[in-house]
PDB file of all heavy atoms in Angstrom:
ATOM      1  N   GLU A 100     -25.073  13.564 -24.784  1.00 97.00           N
ATOM      2  CA  GLU A 100     -24.682  12.822 -23.581  1.00 97.00           C
ATOM      3  C   GLU A 100     -25.616  13.161 -22.417  1.00 97.00           C
ATOM      4  O   GLU A 100     -26.069  12.272 -21.687  1.00 97.00           O
ATOM      5  CB  GLU A 100     -23.231  13.154 -23.220  1.00 97.00           C
ATOM      6  CG  GLU A 100     -22.712  12.437 -22.009  1.00 97.00           C
ATOM      7  CD  GLU A 100     -21.277  12.834 -21.647  1.00 97.00           C
ATOM      8  OE1 GLU A 100     -20.679  13.695 -22.321  1.00 97.00           O
ATOM      9  OE2 GLU A 100     -20.776  12.280 -20.656  1.00 97.00           O
ATOM     10  N   ILE A 101     -25.938  14.434 -22.259  1.00 96.00           N
ATOM     11  CA  ILE A 101     -26.833  14.878 -21.193  1.00 96.00           C
ATOM     12  C   ILE A 101     -28.244  14.315 -21.404  1.00 96.00           C
ATOM     13  O   ILE A 101     -28.855  13.785 -20.476  1.00 96.00           O
ATOM     14  CB  ILE A 101     -26.855  16.416 -21.104  1.00 96.00           C
ATOM     15  CG1 ILE A 101     -25.516  16.919 -20.569  1.00 96.00           C
ATOM     16  CG2 ILE A 101     -28.014  16.914 -20.243  1.00 96.00           C
ATOM     17  CD1 ILE A 101     -25.305  18.413 -20.718  1.00 96.00           C
ATOM     18  N   LEU A 102     -28.736  14.417 -22.624  1.00 96.00           N
ATOM     19  CA  LEU A 102     -30.085  13.907 -22.913  1.00 96.00           C
ATOM     20  C   LEU A 102     -30.157  12.400 -22.683  1.00 96.00           C
ATOM     21  O   LEU A 102     -31.131  11.903 -22.105  1.00 96.00           O
ATOM     22  CB  LEU A 102     -30.478  14.250 -24.348  1.00 96.00           C
ATOM     23  CG  LEU A 102     -30.668  15.737 -24.652  1.00 96.00           C
ATOM     24  CD1 LEU A 102     -30.898  15.951 -26.145  1.00 96.00           C
ATOM     25  CD2 LEU A 102     -31.795  16.332 -23.840  1.00 96.00           C
ATOM     26  N   ASN A 103     -29.130  11.675 -23.114  1.00 97.00           N
ATOM     27  CA  ASN A 103     -29.112  10.222 -22.922  1.00 97.00           C
ATOM     28  C   ASN A 103     -29.031   9.844 -21.453  1.00 97.00           C
ATOM     29  O   ASN A 103     -29.725   8.945 -20.994  1.00 97.00           O
ATOM     30  CB  ASN A 103     -27.964   9.587 -23.703  1.00 97.00           C
ATOM     31  CG  ASN A 103     -28.198   9.599 -25.197  1.00 97.00           C
ATOM     32  OD1 ASN A 103     -29.327   9.585 -25.662  1.00 97.00           O
ATOM     33  ND2 ASN A 103     -27.120   9.639 -25.959  1.00 97.00           N
ATOM     34  N   LYS A 104     -28.185  10.549 -20.697  1.00 98.00           N
ATOM     35  CA  LYS A 104     -28.050  10.258 -19.264  1.00 98.00           C
ATOM     36  C   LYS A 104     -29.366  10.543 -18.540  1.00 98.00           C
ATOM     37  O   LYS A 104     -29.788   9.769 -17.689  1.00 98.00           O
ATOM     38  CB  LYS A 104     -26.912  11.053 -18.642  1.00 98.00           C
ATOM     39  CG  LYS A 104     -26.718  10.753 -17.162  1.00 98.00           C
ATOM     40  CD  LYS A 104     -25.428  11.309 -16.647  1.00 98.00           C
ATOM     41  CE  LYS A 104     -25.195  10.987 -15.180  1.00 98.00           C
ATOM     42  NZ  LYS A 104     -25.236   9.577 -14.839  1.00 98.00           N
ATOM     43  N   SER A 105     -30.002  11.628 -18.898  1.00 96.00           N
ATOM     44  CA  SER A 105     -31.291  11.973 -18.299  1.00 96.00           C
ATOM     45  C   SER A 105     -32.306  10.862 -18.546  1.00 96.00           C
ATOM     46  O   SER A 105     -33.018  10.438 -17.627  1.00 96.00           O
ATOM     47  CB  SER A 105     -31.795  13.289 -18.888  1.00 96.00           C
ATOM     48  OG  SER A 105     -33.111  13.556 -18.495  1.00 96.00           O
ATOM     49  N   GLU A 106     -32.344  10.392 -19.767  1.00 95.00           N
ATOM     50  CA  GLU A 106     -33.279   9.322 -20.140  1.00 95.00           C
ATOM     51  C   GLU A 106     -32.948   8.019 -19.409  1.00 95.00           C
ATOM     52  O   GLU A 106     -33.820   7.375 -18.832  1.00 95.00           O
ATOM     53  CB  GLU A 106     -33.214   9.106 -21.660  1.00 95.00           C
ATOM     54  CG  GLU A 106     -34.167   8.074 -22.174  1.00 95.00           C
ATOM     55  CD  GLU A 106     -35.580   8.584 -22.334  1.00 95.00           C
ATOM     56  OE1 GLU A 106     -35.786   9.811 -22.371  1.00 95.00           O
ATOM     57  OE2 GLU A 106     -36.492   7.752 -22.406  1.00 95.00           O
ATOM     58  N   GLU A 107     -31.674   7.643 -19.439  1.00 97.00           N
ATOM     59  CA  GLU A 107     -31.245   6.380 -18.817  1.00 97.00           C
ATOM     60  C   GLU A 107     -31.446   6.378 -17.307  1.00 97.00           C
ATOM     61  O   GLU A 107     -31.849   5.367 -16.730  1.00 97.00           O
ATOM     62  CB  GLU A 107     -29.770   6.114 -19.135  1.00 97.00           C
ATOM     63  CG  GLU A 107     -29.502   5.777 -20.583  1.00 97.00           C
ATOM     64  CD  GLU A 107     -28.030   5.838 -20.951  1.00 97.00           C
ATOM     65  OE1 GLU A 107     -27.164   5.993 -20.051  1.00 97.00           O
ATOM     66  OE2 GLU A 107     -27.738   5.744 -22.152  1.00 97.00           O
ATOM     67  N   ASP A 108     -31.139   7.497 -16.668  1.00 96.00           N
ATOM     68  CA  ASP A 108     -31.216   7.577 -15.207  1.00 96.00           C
ATOM     69  C   ASP A 108     -32.599   7.985 -14.698  1.00 96.00           C
ATOM     70  O   ASP A 108     -32.853   7.954 -13.499  1.00 96.00           O
ATOM     71  CB  ASP A 108     -30.180   8.571 -14.666  1.00 96.00           C
ATOM     72  CG  ASP A 108     -28.753   8.142 -14.903  1.00 96.00           C
ATOM     73  OD1 ASP A 108     -28.525   6.998 -15.359  1.00 96.00           O
ATOM     74  OD2 ASP A 108     -27.833   8.953 -14.641  1.00 96.00           O
ATOM     75  N   GLY A 109     -33.469   8.417 -15.613  1.00 95.00           N
ATOM     76  CA  GLY A 109     -34.793   8.879 -15.201  1.00 95.00           C
ATOM     77  C   GLY A 109     -34.729  10.185 -14.431  1.00 95.00           C
ATOM     78  O   GLY A 109     -35.570  10.451 -13.571  1.00 95.00           O
ATOM     79  N   THR A 110     -33.714  11.005 -14.731  1.00 95.00           N
ATOM     80  CA  THR A 110     -33.542  12.283 -14.055  1.00 95.00           C
ATOM     81  C   THR A 110     -33.860  13.423 -15.014  1.00 95.00           C
ATOM     82  O   THR A 110     -34.100  13.199 -16.194  1.00 95.00           O
ATOM     83  CB  THR A 110     -32.091  12.458 -13.554  1.00 95.00           C
ATOM     84  OG1 THR A 110     -31.210  12.461 -14.684  1.00 95.00           O
ATOM     85  CG2 THR A 110     -31.693  11.355 -12.604  1.00 95.00           C
ATOM     86  N   THR A 111     -33.813  14.625 -14.506  1.00 94.00           N
ATOM     87  CA  THR A 111     -33.987  15.794 -15.370  1.00 94.00           C
ATOM     88  C   THR A 111     -32.686  16.052 -16.115  1.00 94.00           C
ATOM     89  O   THR A 111     -31.621  15.572 -15.724  1.00 94.00           O
ATOM     90  CB  THR A 111     -34.347  17.041 -14.541  1.00 94.00           C
ATOM     91  OG1 THR A 111     -33.232  17.396 -13.719  1.00 94.00           O
ATOM     92  CG2 THR A 111     -35.583  16.820 -13.695  1.00 94.00           C
ATOM     93  N   THR A 112     -32.791  16.815 -17.182  1.00 94.00           N
ATOM     94  CA  THR A 112     -31.581  17.187 -17.922  1.00 94.00           C
ATOM     95  C   THR A 112     -30.668  18.043 -17.048  1.00 94.00           C
ATOM     96  O   THR A 112     -29.443  17.965 -17.163  1.00 94.00           O
ATOM     97  CB  THR A 112     -31.938  17.948 -19.213  1.00 94.00           C
ATOM     98  OG1 THR A 112     -32.814  19.030 -18.896  1.00 94.00           O
ATOM     99  CG2 THR A 112     -32.584  17.034 -20.232  1.00 94.00           C
ATOM    100  N   ASN A 113     -31.246  18.820 -16.173  1.00 91.00           N
ATOM    101  CA  ASN A 113     -30.451  19.643 -15.261  1.00 91.00           C
ATOM    102  C   ASN A 113     -29.620  18.753 -14.329  1.00 91.00           C
ATOM    103  O   ASN A 113     -28.421  18.967 -14.159  1.00 91.00           O
ATOM    104  CB  ASN A 113     -31.365  20.570 -14.460  1.00 91.00           C
ATOM    105  CG  ASN A 113     -30.620  21.646 -13.733  1.00 91.00           C
ATOM    106  OD1 ASN A 113     -29.893  22.414 -14.358  1.00 91.00           O
ATOM    107  ND2 ASN A 113     -30.781  21.722 -12.425  1.00 91.00           N
ATOM    108  N   GLN A 114     -30.258  17.743 -13.749  1.00 94.00           N
ATOM    109  CA  GLN A 114     -29.538  16.818 -12.862  1.00 94.00           C
ATOM    110  C   GLN A 114     -28.475  16.042 -13.627  1.00 94.00           C
ATOM    111  O   GLN A 114     -27.368  15.844 -13.127  1.00 94.00           O
ATOM    112  CB  GLN A 114     -30.518  15.857 -12.189  1.00 94.00           C
ATOM    113  CG  GLN A 114     -31.441  16.525 -11.199  1.00 94.00           C
ATOM    114  CD  GLN A 114     -32.623  15.643 -10.819  1.00 94.00           C
ATOM    115  OE1 GLN A 114     -33.191  14.936 -11.650  1.00 94.00           O
ATOM    116  NE2 GLN A 114     -32.996  15.693  -9.548  1.00 94.00           N
ATOM    117  N   ALA A 115     -28.798  15.604 -14.842  1.00 96.00           N
ATOM    118  CA  ALA A 115     -27.839  14.862 -15.650  1.00 96.00           C
ATOM    119  C   ALA A 115     -26.635  15.736 -16.003  1.00 96.00           C
ATOM    120  O   ALA A 115     -25.489  15.288 -15.917  1.00 96.00           O
ATOM    121  CB  ALA A 115     -28.504  14.340 -16.926  1.00 96.00           C
ATOM    122  N   ALA A 116     -26.883  16.983 -16.374  1.00 94.00           N
ATOM    123  CA  ALA A 116     -25.795  17.902 -16.733  1.00 94.00           C
ATOM    124  C   ALA A 116     -24.887  18.163 -15.539  1.00 94.00           C
ATOM    125  O   ALA A 116     -23.659  18.165 -15.665  1.00 94.00           O
ATOM    126  CB  ALA A 116     -26.372  19.211 -17.264  1.00 94.00           C
ATOM    127  N   ILE A 117     -25.482  18.374 -14.382  1.00 93.00           N
ATOM    128  CA  ILE A 117     -24.685  18.613 -13.169  1.00 93.00           C
ATOM    129  C   ILE A 117     -23.864  17.375 -12.834  1.00 93.00           C
ATOM    130  O   ILE A 117     -22.673  17.484 -12.508  1.00 93.00           O
ATOM    131  CB  ILE A 117     -25.589  19.036 -11.995  1.00 93.00           C
ATOM    132  CG1 ILE A 117     -26.147  20.446 -12.249  1.00 93.00           C
ATOM    133  CG2 ILE A 117     -24.840  18.975 -10.664  1.00 93.00           C
ATOM    134  CD1 ILE A 117     -27.242  20.871 -11.295  1.00 93.00           C
ATOM    135  N   SER A 118     -24.457  16.204 -12.930  1.00 96.00           N
ATOM    136  CA  SER A 118     -23.751  14.960 -12.636  1.00 96.00           C
ATOM    137  C   SER A 118     -22.548  14.774 -13.565  1.00 96.00           C
ATOM    138  O   SER A 118     -21.448  14.431 -13.120  1.00 96.00           O
ATOM    139  CB  SER A 118     -24.709  13.779 -12.769  1.00 96.00           C
ATOM    140  OG  SER A 118     -24.034  12.564 -12.605  1.00 96.00           O
ATOM    141  N   ILE A 119     -22.743  15.007 -14.857  1.00 96.00           N
ATOM    142  CA  ILE A 119     -21.652  14.873 -15.826  1.00 96.00           C
ATOM    143  C   ILE A 119     -20.569  15.908 -15.549  1.00 96.00           C
ATOM    144  O   ILE A 119     -19.380  15.593 -15.572  1.00 96.00           O
ATOM    145  CB  ILE A 119     -22.203  14.998 -17.256  1.00 96.00           C
ATOM    146  CG1 ILE A 119     -23.035  13.761 -17.597  1.00 96.00           C
ATOM    147  CG2 ILE A 119     -21.069  15.181 -18.271  1.00 96.00           C
ATOM    148  CD1 ILE A 119     -23.855  13.886 -18.873  1.00 96.00           C
ATOM    149  N   ALA A 120     -20.962  17.134 -15.264  1.00 94.00           N
ATOM    150  CA  ALA A 120     -19.985  18.192 -14.979  1.00 94.00           C
ATOM    151  C   ALA A 120     -19.173  17.858 -13.732  1.00 94.00           C
ATOM    152  O   ALA A 120     -17.947  18.022 -13.716  1.00 94.00           O
ATOM    153  CB  ALA A 120     -20.701  19.530 -14.809  1.00 94.00           C
ATOM    154  N   GLU A 121     -19.844  17.384 -12.689  1.00 95.00           N
ATOM    155  CA  GLU A 121     -19.132  17.023 -11.454  1.00 95.00           C
ATOM    156  C   GLU A 121     -18.137  15.884 -11.707  1.00 95.00           C
ATOM    157  O   GLU A 121     -17.008  15.919 -11.204  1.00 95.00           O
ATOM    158  CB  GLU A 121     -20.120  16.631 -10.360  1.00 95.00           C
ATOM    159  CG  GLU A 121     -20.881  17.802  -9.804  1.00 95.00           C
ATOM    160  CD  GLU A 121     -21.981  17.417  -8.829  1.00 95.00           C
ATOM    161  OE1 GLU A 121     -22.419  16.241  -8.807  1.00 95.00           O
ATOM    162  OE2 GLU A 121     -22.413  18.319  -8.081  1.00 95.00           O
ATOM    163  N   GLN A 122     -18.532  14.898 -12.510  1.00 95.00           N
ATOM    164  CA  GLN A 122     -17.643  13.777 -12.822  1.00 95.00           C
ATOM    165  C   GLN A 122     -16.423  14.258 -13.611  1.00 95.00           C
ATOM    166  O   GLN A 122     -15.310  13.841 -13.345  1.00 95.00           O
ATOM    167  CB  GLN A 122     -18.392  12.696 -13.613  1.00 95.00           C
ATOM    168  CG  GLN A 122     -17.561  11.454 -13.865  1.00 95.00           C
ATOM    169  CD  GLN A 122     -17.137  10.762 -12.578  1.00 95.00           C
ATOM    170  OE1 GLN A 122     -17.974  10.469 -11.741  1.00 95.00           O
ATOM    171  NE2 GLN A 122     -15.855  10.514 -12.414  1.00 95.00           N
ATOM    172  N   ARG A 123     -16.644  15.155 -14.548  1.00 92.00           N
ATOM    173  CA  ARG A 123     -15.522  15.689 -15.340  1.00 92.00           C
ATOM    174  C   ARG A 123     -14.567  16.491 -14.471  1.00 92.00           C
ATOM    175  O   ARG A 123     -13.354  16.394 -14.623  1.00 92.00           O
ATOM    176  CB  ARG A 123     -16.044  16.535 -16.485  1.00 92.00           C
ATOM    177  CG  ARG A 123     -16.665  15.676 -17.552  1.00 92.00           C
ATOM    178  CD  ARG A 123     -17.123  16.483 -18.717  1.00 92.00           C
ATOM    179  NE  ARG A 123     -17.707  15.548 -19.661  1.00 92.00           N
ATOM    180  CZ  ARG A 123     -18.060  15.847 -20.879  1.00 92.00           C
ATOM    181  NH1 ARG A 123     -17.912  17.076 -21.306  1.00 92.00           N
ATOM    182  NH2 ARG A 123     -18.585  14.942 -21.657  1.00 92.00           N
ATOM    183  N   LEU A 124     -15.116  17.281 -13.566  1.00 94.00           N
ATOM    184  CA  LEU A 124     -14.260  18.041 -12.650  1.00 94.00           C
ATOM    185  C   LEU A 124     -13.453  17.116 -11.745  1.00 94.00           C
ATOM    186  O   LEU A 124     -12.271  17.342 -11.489  1.00 94.00           O
ATOM    187  CB  LEU A 124     -15.093  19.012 -11.813  1.00 94.00           C
ATOM    188  CG  LEU A 124     -15.665  20.205 -12.559  1.00 94.00           C
ATOM    189  CD1 LEU A 124     -16.654  20.961 -11.697  1.00 94.00           C
ATOM    190  CD2 LEU A 124     -14.551  21.136 -13.034  1.00 94.00           C
ATOM    191  N   GLU A 125     -14.103  16.058 -11.266  1.00 94.00           N
ATOM    192  CA  GLU A 125     -13.407  15.080 -10.427  1.00 94.00           C
ATOM    193  C   GLU A 125     -12.296  14.388 -11.208  1.00 94.00           C
ATOM    194  O   GLU A 125     -11.177  14.265 -10.703  1.00 94.00           O
ATOM    195  CB  GLU A 125     -14.402  14.050  -9.912  1.00 94.00           C
ATOM    196  CG  GLU A 125     -13.786  13.050  -8.941  1.00 94.00           C
ATOM    197  CD  GLU A 125     -14.800  12.036  -8.424  1.00 94.00           C
ATOM    198  OE1 GLU A 125     -15.941  12.440  -8.141  1.00 94.00           O
ATOM    199  OE2 GLU A 125     -14.440  10.862  -8.319  1.00 94.00           O
ATOM    200  N   ASN A 126     -12.579  13.990 -12.424  1.00 93.00           N
ATOM    201  CA  ASN A 126     -11.566  13.342 -13.255  1.00 93.00           C
ATOM    202  C   ASN A 126     -10.416  14.296 -13.559  1.00 93.00           C
ATOM    203  O   ASN A 126      -9.249  13.896 -13.569  1.00 93.00           O
ATOM    204  CB  ASN A 126     -12.171  12.815 -14.557  1.00 93.00           C
ATOM    205  CG  ASN A 126     -13.118  11.660 -14.341  1.00 93.00           C
ATOM    206  OD1 ASN A 126     -13.115  11.022 -13.288  1.00 93.00           O
ATOM    207  ND2 ASN A 126     -13.946  11.396 -15.324  1.00 93.00           N
ATOM    208  N   TYR A 127     -10.735  15.559 -13.811  1.00 90.00           N
ATOM    209  CA  TYR A 127      -9.718  16.561 -14.119  1.00 90.00           C
ATOM    210  C   TYR A 127      -8.809  16.799 -12.919  1.00 90.00           C
ATOM    211  O   TYR A 127      -7.603  16.942 -13.067  1.00 90.00           O
ATOM    212  CB  TYR A 127     -10.388  17.876 -14.562  1.00 90.00           C
ATOM    213  CG  TYR A 127      -9.402  18.916 -14.966  1.00 90.00           C
ATOM    214  CD1 TYR A 127      -8.791  18.882 -16.217  1.00 90.00           C
ATOM    215  CD2 TYR A 127      -9.049  19.962 -14.099  1.00 90.00           C
ATOM    216  CE1 TYR A 127      -7.870  19.833 -16.583  1.00 90.00           C
ATOM    217  CE2 TYR A 127      -8.131  20.927 -14.467  1.00 90.00           C
ATOM    218  CZ  TYR A 127      -7.528  20.855 -15.720  1.00 90.00           C
ATOM    219  OH  TYR A 127      -6.617  21.795 -16.079  1.00 90.00           O
ATOM    220  N   SER A 128      -9.393  16.830 -11.726  1.00 91.00           N
ATOM    221  CA  SER A 128      -8.599  17.105 -10.527  1.00 91.00           C
ATOM    222  C   SER A 128      -7.663  15.950 -10.185  1.00 91.00           C
ATOM    223  O   SER A 128      -6.708  16.126  -9.439  1.00 91.00           O
ATOM    224  CB  SER A 128      -9.508  17.437  -9.344  1.00 91.00           C
ATOM    225  OG  SER A 128     -10.225  16.288  -8.937  1.00 91.00           O
ATOM    226  N   LYS A 129      -7.922  14.766 -10.716  1.00 88.00           N
ATOM    227  CA  LYS A 129      -7.078  13.595 -10.451  1.00 88.00           C
ATOM    228  C   LYS A 129      -5.855  13.553 -11.354  1.00 88.00           C
ATOM    229  O   LYS A 129      -4.990  12.714 -11.172  1.00 88.00           O
ATOM    230  CB  LYS A 129      -7.882  12.315 -10.638  1.00 88.00           C
ATOM    231  CG  LYS A 129      -8.937  12.119  -9.580  1.00 88.00           C
ATOM    232  CD  LYS A 129      -9.707  10.840  -9.819  1.00 88.00           C
ATOM    233  CE  LYS A 129     -10.791  10.653  -8.783  1.00 88.00           C
ATOM    234  NZ  LYS A 129     -11.588   9.452  -9.028  1.00 88.00           N
TER     235      LYS A 129
END
Side-chain angles (χ1 to χ4, degrees):
E100 181 182 1
I101 290 167
L102 293 173
N103 289 332
K104 181 168 182 56
S105 171
E106 182 80 18
E107 291 166 8
D108 295 352
T110 62
T111 67
T112 52
N113 193 57
Q114 292 165 321
I117 290 169
S118 175
I119 290 169
E121 288 173 342
Q122 185 62 53
R123 288 183 180 190
L124 289 170
E125 184 179 320
N126 292 343
Y127 183 79
S128 69
K129 291 180 182 177

